[in-house]
Amino acid sequence: MLARTLELLAETVRDQSLSLLVGGSLTAVGGWARWLLVKRLPARRTWRFERTADRLIMVVSSSAEVDTGQYTRPTTGVGQVRAMSLLVPRLVRAYRDVDLQQVSLSEGLPGRDVEADLLLLGGPKTNEVTGRALQALPGLPLRVDGNVIAWGDERFEGRVLGERVVSDFGYVVRAPSPFAPGRRIVVVAGSHTFGTVAAARWLAERGGGRDVPPDVAVLVEAPVSADGHVGVPRELRRARLAAAPVPAQRS
């Protein structure tokens, strides 16, 4: 009788252990699938780089030079720094292999690095790589001249009152790289520095939407508070971009 009781108890323990194992596995698989669908895939749609980002280089504007007394040090603007703080978490979520140390000021970017995947922060006025990219992309609906963003026949420039920017315009361009086949670029810039933050907010919050084409140009506007906070960007224009021609291979 005792032996039978022990046998039944052992069977019960085995059944419960198997149930716990199966249930735990299903929970883990379900959690991973939910994370993939809710987190990683939308994050990758934000960027549209390949499955890895091992050759991604972030190129920020060279806004000014500071004389330290011993040497001249190039600097970037606060808009680029704030834009990076918004976009880096999205990059890490999308690509585990992204190297966050691959950051360069535009004026110091080695020529070979132009052929990598590029995240370009800041417009042509302070980021010459952005200027080269915008000029080389075919069918781009926007043009940038100083602080003025032209979209077709319309012109947009950040609004300044009392020596303070009260609203600003930003733009995002996501496209195949015009510098190297198989590579891609993402441009995040604005009329003024606050527009760059507005563009970064749009990209981080809405750029991964299923309704947004992989190759796209977007123009946004956002209010700027007295303390410099950039409000929720409002999308003004959007255009699907044609495929860029493949650059000729070097002989």
Side-chain angles (χ1 to χ4, degrees):
M1 184 67 179
L2 179 59
R4 180 56 180 166
T5 301
L6 292 175
E7 184 180 348
L8 291 173
L9 181 60
E11 291 178 356
T12 301
V13 170
R14 282 197 301 271
D15 291 343
Q16 290 178 344
S17 298
L18 181 60
S19 297
L20 289 173
L21 179 61
V22 172
S25 299
L26 290 175
T27 299
V29 170
W32 177 83
R34 183 178 183 278
W35 176 84
L36 182 67
L37 292 173
V38 176
K39 300 291 185 179
R40 171 159 288 188
L41 292 182
R44 288 195 173 180
R45 286 198 301 269
T46 298
W47 302 105
R48 305 288 181 160
F49 296 125
E50 295 298 325
R51 297 184 62 184
T52 63
D54 59 320
R55 281 291 292 143
L56 170 67
I57 297 177
M58 292 170 274
V59 185
V60 299
S61 292
S62 302
S63 299
E65 292 186 346
V66 176
D67 186 355
T68 67
Q70 294 180 312
Y71 62 94
T72 300
R73 183 180 65 206
T75 63
T76 192
V78 66
Q80 283 73 41
V81 175
R82 292 171 64 185
M84 286 188 66
S85 71
L86 289 168
L87 297 175
V88 163
R90 199 77 174 175
L91 268 175
V92 172
R93 184 181 298 172
Y95 306 102
R96 292 181 177 178
D97 60 344
V98 64
D99 185 356
L100 299 179
Q101 298 185 67
Q102 293 295 323
V103 179
S104 176
L105 290 172
S106 59
E107 70 174 23
L109 184 69
R112 67 181 183 277
D113 288 345
V114 174
E115 299 176 3
D117 291 320
L118 298 175
L119 170 56
L120 305 176
L121 296 173
K125 183 178 178 180
T126 53
N127 190 327
E128 65 94 13
V129 184
T130 296
R132 290 167 56 191
L134 296 183
Q135 288 182 354
L137 287 172
L140 196 65
L142 65 86
R143 303 179 310 280
V144 182
D145 182 10
N147 294 327
V148 177
I149 305 166
W151 189 290
D153 295 330
E154 299 176 284
R155 294 165 63 87
F156 302 87
E157 184 174 4
R159 184 166 174 243
V160 180
L161 288 177
E163 299 183 348
R164 183 176 71 82
V165 177
V166 295
S167 66
D168 208 356
F169 297 93
Y171 56 94
V172 173
V173 176
R174 189 171 63 197
S177 173
F179 306 126
R183 296 296 183 179
R184 294 185 62 80
I185 64 168
V186 176
V187 177
V188 178
S191 172
H192 300 288
T193 192
F194 303 104
T196 301
V197 181
R201 280 201 66 173
W202 180 91
L203 183 62
E205 297 170 4
R206 298 187 56 194
R210 294 182 180 275
D211 63 319
V212 182
D215 305 331
V216 69
V218 176
L219 177 71
V220 300
E221 180 184 17
V224 182
S225 63
D227 62 357
H229 174 73
V230 177
V232 178
R234 179 170 62 98
E235 185 176 319
L236 300 179
R237 303 286 185 274
R238 181 195 296 186
R240 183 189 297 268
L241 300 181
V246 178
Q249 296 284 353
R250 294 180 178 177
S251 57

Short mmCIF file of all heavy atoms in Angstrom, two decimals, residues 24-65:
data_model
loop_
_atom_site.label_atom_id
_atom_site.label_comp_id
_atom_site.label_asym_id
_atom_site.label_seq_id
_atom_site.Cartn_x
_atom_site.Cartn_y
_atom_site.Cartn_z
N GLY A 24 6.23 27.27 -18.34
CA GLY A 24 7.30 28.25 -18.32
C GLY A 24 7.88 28.50 -19.69
O GLY A 24 8.17 29.63 -20.07
N SER A 25 8.04 27.42 -20.47
CA SER A 25 8.57 27.56 -21.83
C SER A 25 7.62 28.37 -22.70
O SER A 25 8.05 29.25 -23.46
CB SER A 25 8.80 26.18 -22.45
OG SER A 25 9.75 25.44 -21.70
N LEU A 26 6.31 28.05 -22.59
CA LEU A 26 5.33 28.79 -23.39
C LEU A 26 5.30 30.27 -23.01
O LEU A 26 5.18 31.15 -23.86
CB LEU A 26 3.95 28.17 -23.24
CG LEU A 26 3.76 26.79 -23.88
CD1 LEU A 26 2.39 26.24 -23.55
CD2 LEU A 26 3.96 26.87 -25.40
N THR A 27 5.42 30.54 -21.70
CA THR A 27 5.44 31.92 -21.24
C THR A 27 6.66 32.66 -21.77
O THR A 27 6.57 33.81 -22.22
CB THR A 27 5.44 31.97 -19.70
OG1 THR A 27 4.26 31.34 -19.21
CG2 THR A 27 5.50 33.41 -19.21
N ALA A 28 7.82 31.97 -21.73
CA ALA A 28 9.05 32.59 -22.23
C ALA A 28 8.96 32.86 -23.73
O ALA A 28 9.33 33.93 -24.21
CB ALA A 28 10.25 31.69 -21.93
N VAL A 29 8.45 31.87 -24.48
CA VAL A 29 8.32 32.04 -25.92
C VAL A 29 7.33 33.16 -26.24
O VAL A 29 7.56 33.99 -27.11
CB VAL A 29 7.88 30.72 -26.59
CG1 VAL A 29 7.49 30.95 -28.04
CG2 VAL A 29 8.98 29.69 -26.50
N GLY A 30 6.22 33.18 -25.49
CA GLY A 30 5.23 34.23 -25.69
C GLY A 30 5.79 35.60 -25.38
O GLY A 30 5.54 36.56 -26.11
N GLY A 31 6.57 35.70 -24.29
CA GLY A 31 7.18 36.98 -23.95
C GLY A 31 8.18 37.43 -24.99
O GLY A 31 8.23 38.61 -25.35
N TRP A 32 8.98 36.47 -25.51
CA TRP A 32 9.95 36.82 -26.54
C TRP A 32 9.24 37.27 -27.82
O TRP A 32 9.65 38.25 -28.45
CB TRP A 32 10.84 35.62 -26.85
CG TRP A 32 11.82 35.88 -27.96
CD1 TRP A 32 13.04 36.49 -27.86
CD2 TRP A 32 11.65 35.55 -29.33
NE1 TRP A 32 13.64 36.57 -29.09
CE2 TRP A 32 12.81 35.99 -30.02
CE3 TRP A 32 10.64 34.93 -30.07
CZ2 TRP A 32 12.98 35.82 -31.39
CZ3 TRP A 32 10.81 34.76 -31.43
CH2 TRP A 32 11.97 35.20 -32.07
N ALA A 33 8.18 36.55 -28.21
CA ALA A 33 7.44 36.91 -29.42
C ALA A 33 6.81 38.29 -29.27
O ALA A 33 6.82 39.10 -30.21
CB ALA A 33 6.37 35.86 -29.71
N ARG A 34 6.26 38.57 -28.10
CA ARG A 34 5.65 39.89 -27.87
C ARG A 34 6.71 40.99 -27.94
O ARG A 34 6.49 42.05 -28.54
CB ARG A 34 4.95 39.91 -26.51
CG ARG A 34 4.21 41.22 -26.23
CD ARG A 34 3.49 41.16 -24.89
NE ARG A 34 2.73 42.37 -24.68
CZ ARG A 34 3.26 43.51 -24.20
NH1 ARG A 34 4.55 43.58 -23.93
NH2 ARG A 34 2.50 44.58 -24.03
N TRP A 35 7.88 40.74 -27.32
CA TRP A 35 8.96 41.72 -27.37
C TRP A 35 9.41 41.95 -28.81
O TRP A 35 9.66 43.09 -29.22
CB TRP A 35 10.13 41.22 -26.53
CG TRP A 35 11.34 42.11 -26.60
CD1 TRP A 35 11.59 43.23 -25.87
CD2 TRP A 35 12.47 41.94 -27.47
NE1 TRP A 35 12.79 43.78 -26.23
CE2 TRP A 35 13.36 43.01 -27.20
CE3 TRP A 35 12.82 41.00 -28.43
CZ2 TRP A 35 14.57 43.15 -27.87
CZ3 TRP A 35 14.03 41.14 -29.09
CH2 TRP A 35 14.88 42.20 -28.81
N LEU A 36 9.48 40.87 -29.60
CA LEU A 36 9.90 40.99 -30.99
C LEU A 36 8.90 41.84 -31.79
O LEU A 36 9.29 42.72 -32.55
CB LEU A 36 10.03 39.60 -31.61
CG LEU A 36 10.51 39.54 -33.07
CD1 LEU A 36 11.95 40.01 -33.16
CD2 LEU A 36 10.38 38.12 -33.61
N LEU A 37 7.61 41.58 -31.59
CA LEU A 37 6.58 42.26 -32.36
C LEU A 37 6.38 43.70 -31.90
O LEU A 37 6.13 44.60 -32.71
CB LEU A 37 5.26 41.49 -32.27
CG LEU A 37 5.23 40.12 -32.96
CD1 LEU A 37 3.93 39.40 -32.64
CD2 LEU A 37 5.41 40.27 -34.46
N VAL A 38 6.46 43.92 -30.58
CA VAL A 38 6.13 45.23 -30.03
C VAL A 38 7.34 46.14 -29.94
O VAL A 38 7.22 47.36 -30.08
CB VAL A 38 5.49 45.06 -28.63
CG1 VAL A 38 5.23 46.42 -27.98
CG2 VAL A 38 4.19 44.27 -28.74
N LYS A 39 8.53 45.57 -29.75
CA LYS A 39 9.72 46.38 -29.52
C LYS A 39 10.70 46.36 -30.70
O LYS A 39 10.95 47.38 -31.33
CB LYS A 39 10.43 45.90 -28.25
CG LYS A 39 9.60 45.99 -26.98
CD LYS A 39 9.34 47.43 -26.56
CE LYS A 39 8.61 47.48 -25.22
NZ LYS A 39 8.37 48.87 -24.78
N ARG A 40 11.26 45.18 -30.99
CA ARG A 40 12.37 45.13 -31.95
C ARG A 40 11.94 45.46 -33.38
O ARG A 40 12.59 46.26 -34.05
CB ARG A 40 13.07 43.77 -31.90
CG ARG A 40 14.10 43.59 -33.02
CD ARG A 40 15.12 42.55 -32.72
NE ARG A 40 16.06 42.99 -31.69
CZ ARG A 40 17.14 42.30 -31.36
NH1 ARG A 40 17.40 41.15 -31.95
NH2 ARG A 40 17.96 42.74 -30.43
N LEU A 41 10.87 44.82 -33.86
CA LEU A 41 10.50 45.04 -35.26
C LEU A 41 10.12 46.49 -35.53
O LEU A 41 10.58 47.06 -36.53
CB LEU A 41 9.39 44.08 -35.66
CG LEU A 41 9.80 42.60 -35.73
CD1 LEU A 41 8.63 41.74 -36.18
CD2 LEU A 41 11.00 42.41 -36.64
N PRO A 42 9.30 47.15 -34.68
CA PRO A 42 9.04 48.58 -34.92
C PRO A 42 10.31 49.42 -34.86
O PRO A 42 10.46 50.38 -35.62
CB PRO A 42 8.07 48.95 -33.80
CG PRO A 42 7.40 47.67 -33.44
CD PRO A 42 8.47 46.62 -33.60
N ALA A 43 11.24 49.06 -33.95
CA ALA A 43 12.48 49.81 -33.86
C ALA A 43 13.29 49.67 -35.15
O ALA A 43 13.89 50.62 -35.64
CB ALA A 43 13.29 49.34 -32.66
N ARG A 44 13.31 48.46 -35.71
CA ARG A 44 14.06 48.27 -36.97
C ARG A 44 13.37 48.96 -38.13
O ARG A 44 14.04 49.43 -39.05
CB ARG A 44 14.24 46.77 -37.24
CG ARG A 44 15.25 46.13 -36.29
CD ARG A 44 15.69 44.78 -36.76
NE ARG A 44 16.77 44.29 -35.92
CZ ARG A 44 17.37 43.12 -36.08
NH1 ARG A 44 16.99 42.31 -37.06
NH2 ARG A 44 18.35 42.75 -35.27
N ARG A 45 12.05 49.03 -38.09
CA ARG A 45 11.36 49.79 -39.13
C ARG A 45 11.69 51.27 -39.04
O ARG A 45 11.60 52.00 -40.03
CB ARG A 45 9.84 49.58 -39.03
CG ARG A 45 9.37 48.21 -39.51
CD ARG A 45 7.87 48.23 -39.81
NE ARG A 45 7.09 48.60 -38.65
CZ ARG A 45 6.59 47.75 -37.77
NH1 ARG A 45 6.80 46.45 -37.91
NH2 ARG A 45 5.86 48.17 -36.75
N THR A 46 12.05 51.74 -37.84
CA THR A 46 12.44 53.13 -37.67
C THR A 46 13.67 53.45 -38.52
O THR A 46 13.77 54.54 -39.11
CB THR A 46 12.74 53.43 -36.20
OG1 THR A 46 11.55 53.23 -35.43
CG2 THR A 46 13.24 54.86 -36.00
N TRP A 47 14.61 52.51 -38.59
CA TRP A 47 15.90 52.78 -39.22
C TRP A 47 16.00 52.20 -40.63
O TRP A 47 16.59 52.80 -41.51
CB TRP A 47 17.02 52.21 -38.35
CG TRP A 47 16.97 52.80 -36.99
CD1 TRP A 47 16.54 52.21 -35.83
CD2 TRP A 47 17.32 54.14 -36.63
NE1 TRP A 47 16.62 53.08 -34.78
CE2 TRP A 47 17.10 54.27 -35.24
CE3 TRP A 47 17.82 55.22 -37.34
CZ2 TRP A 47 17.34 55.46 -34.57
CZ3 TRP A 47 18.08 56.41 -36.67
CH2 TRP A 47 17.84 56.51 -35.30
N ARG A 48 15.52 50.98 -40.83
CA ARG A 48 15.58 50.29 -42.13
C ARG A 48 17.01 49.99 -42.55
O ARG A 48 17.28 49.81 -43.75
CB ARG A 48 14.90 51.13 -43.22
CG ARG A 48 13.47 51.50 -42.90
CD ARG A 48 12.54 50.33 -42.99
NE ARG A 48 11.16 50.75 -42.70
CZ ARG A 48 10.09 50.06 -43.06
NH1 ARG A 48 10.23 48.92 -43.72
NH2 ARG A 48 8.89 50.49 -42.76
N PHE A 49 17.93 49.91 -41.59
CA PHE A 49 19.25 49.39 -41.91
C PHE A 49 19.13 47.88 -42.10
O PHE A 49 18.07 47.30 -41.88
CB PHE A 49 20.25 49.71 -40.79
CG PHE A 49 20.49 51.18 -40.60
CD1 PHE A 49 20.31 51.77 -39.36
CD2 PHE A 49 20.91 51.97 -41.66
CE1 PHE A 49 20.53 53.13 -39.17
CE2 PHE A 49 21.13 53.33 -41.48
CZ PHE A 49 20.95 53.91 -40.25
N GLU A 50 20.22 47.23 -42.48
CA GLU A 50 20.19 45.79 -42.61
C GLU A 50 20.02 45.16 -41.22
O GLU A 50 19.88 45.85 -40.22
CB GLU A 50 21.47 45.29 -43.29
CG GLU A 50 21.62 45.77 -44.73
CD GLU A 50 20.50 45.26 -45.62
OE1 GLU A 50 20.03 44.12 -45.40
OE2 GLU A 50 20.09 46.00 -46.54
N ARG A 51 20.05 43.84 -41.15
CA ARG A 51 19.77 43.15 -39.89
C ARG A 51 20.81 43.44 -38.83
O ARG A 51 20.59 43.22 -37.65
CB ARG A 51 19.67 41.64 -40.14
CG ARG A 51 18.52 41.26 -41.05
CD ARG A 51 18.39 39.77 -41.20
NE ARG A 51 18.12 39.12 -39.94
CZ ARG A 51 18.03 37.80 -39.79
NH1 ARG A 51 18.21 37.01 -40.83
NH2 ARG A 51 17.77 37.28 -38.62
N THR A 52 21.99 43.91 -39.23
CA THR A 52 23.01 44.30 -38.27
C THR A 52 23.34 45.77 -38.49
O THR A 52 23.09 46.33 -39.54
CB THR A 52 24.29 43.47 -38.43
OG1 THR A 52 24.85 43.72 -39.72
CG2 THR A 52 23.98 41.99 -38.29
N ALA A 53 23.92 46.37 -37.46
CA ALA A 53 24.33 47.78 -37.56
C ALA A 53 25.79 47.90 -37.15
O ALA A 53 26.21 48.88 -36.54
CB ALA A 53 23.45 48.65 -36.67
N ASP A 54 26.59 46.89 -37.52
CA ASP A 54 27.99 46.87 -37.11
C ASP A 54 28.81 47.93 -37.82
O ASP A 54 29.91 48.26 -37.40
CB ASP A 54 28.59 45.49 -37.35
CG ASP A 54 28.50 45.07 -38.82
OD1 ASP A 54 27.46 45.34 -39.43
OD2 ASP A 54 29.47 44.47 -39.33
N ARG A 55 28.28 48.48 -38.92
CA ARG A 55 29.01 49.52 -39.65
C ARG A 55 28.20 50.80 -39.71
O ARG A 55 28.21 51.51 -40.72
CB ARG A 55 29.36 49.02 -41.06
CG ARG A 55 30.55 48.10 -41.09
CD ARG A 55 31.86 48.82 -40.77
NE ARG A 55 32.23 49.77 -41.80
CZ ARG A 55 32.80 50.94 -41.58
NH1 ARG A 55 33.03 51.34 -40.36
NH2 ARG A 55 33.14 51.73 -42.58
N LEU A 56 27.52 51.11 -38.63
CA LEU A 56 26.77 52.35 -38.56
C LEU A 56 27.65 53.43 -37.92
O LEU A 56 28.25 53.21 -36.87
CB LEU A 56 25.51 52.17 -37.72
CG LEU A 56 24.76 53.46 -37.37
CD1 LEU A 56 24.18 54.10 -38.63
CD2 LEU A 56 23.67 53.19 -36.36
N ILE A 57 27.70 54.60 -38.56
CA ILE A 57 28.45 55.72 -38.02
C ILE A 57 27.50 56.90 -37.87
O ILE A 57 26.76 57.24 -38.79
CB ILE A 57 29.62 56.11 -38.94
CG1 ILE A 57 30.61 54.93 -39.02
CG2 ILE A 57 30.33 57.36 -38.43
CD1 ILE A 57 31.78 55.17 -39.94
N MET A 58 27.50 57.50 -36.69
CA MET A 58 26.69 58.68 -36.41
C MET A 58 27.54 59.92 -36.65
O MET A 58 28.60 60.08 -36.05
CB MET A 58 26.17 58.64 -34.97
CG MET A 58 25.16 57.54 -34.73
SD MET A 58 24.74 57.29 -32.99
CE MET A 58 26.05 56.15 -32.50
N VAL A 59 27.09 60.77 -37.56
CA VAL A 59 27.85 61.97 -37.95
C VAL A 59 27.08 63.20 -37.51
O VAL A 59 25.97 63.46 -37.99
CB VAL A 59 28.08 62.01 -39.47
CG1 VAL A 59 28.98 63.19 -39.83
CG2 VAL A 59 28.70 60.70 -39.96
N VAL A 60 27.64 63.96 -36.58
CA VAL A 60 26.95 65.13 -36.03
C VAL A 60 27.59 66.41 -36.57
O VAL A 60 28.75 66.43 -37.01
CB VAL A 60 26.99 65.13 -34.48
CG1 VAL A 60 26.28 63.91 -33.93
CG2 VAL A 60 28.42 65.18 -33.96
N SER A 61 26.83 67.49 -36.52
CA SER A 61 27.28 68.78 -37.04
C SER A 61 28.51 69.28 -36.31
O SER A 61 28.68 69.08 -35.10
CB SER A 61 26.16 69.82 -36.90
OG SER A 61 25.09 69.52 -37.75
N SER A 62 29.37 69.95 -37.06
CA SER A 62 30.49 70.69 -36.47
C SER A 62 30.04 72.15 -36.38
O SER A 62 30.19 72.92 -37.33
CB SER A 62 31.73 70.56 -37.35
OG SER A 62 32.10 69.21 -37.51
N SER A 63 29.45 72.50 -35.24
CA SER A 63 28.77 73.79 -35.13
C SER A 63 29.71 74.96 -34.88
O SER A 63 29.47 76.08 -35.33
CB SER A 63 27.73 73.73 -34.01
OG SER A 63 26.77 72.74 -34.28
N ALA A 64 30.77 74.73 -34.11
CA ALA A 64 31.67 75.83 -33.75
C ALA A 64 33.01 75.26 -33.33
O ALA A 64 33.17 74.05 -33.16
CB ALA A 64 31.06 76.67 -32.62
N GLU A 65 33.97 76.15 -33.17
CA GLU A 65 35.28 75.76 -32.67
C GLU A 65 35.60 76.56 -31.42
O GLU A 65 35.34 77.77 -31.36
CB GLU A 65 36.36 75.98 -33.73
CG GLU A 65 36.24 75.04 -34.93
CD GLU A 65 37.41 75.19 -35.88
OE1 GLU A 65 38.16 76.18 -35.75
OE2 GLU A 65 37.58 74.31 -36.74
#
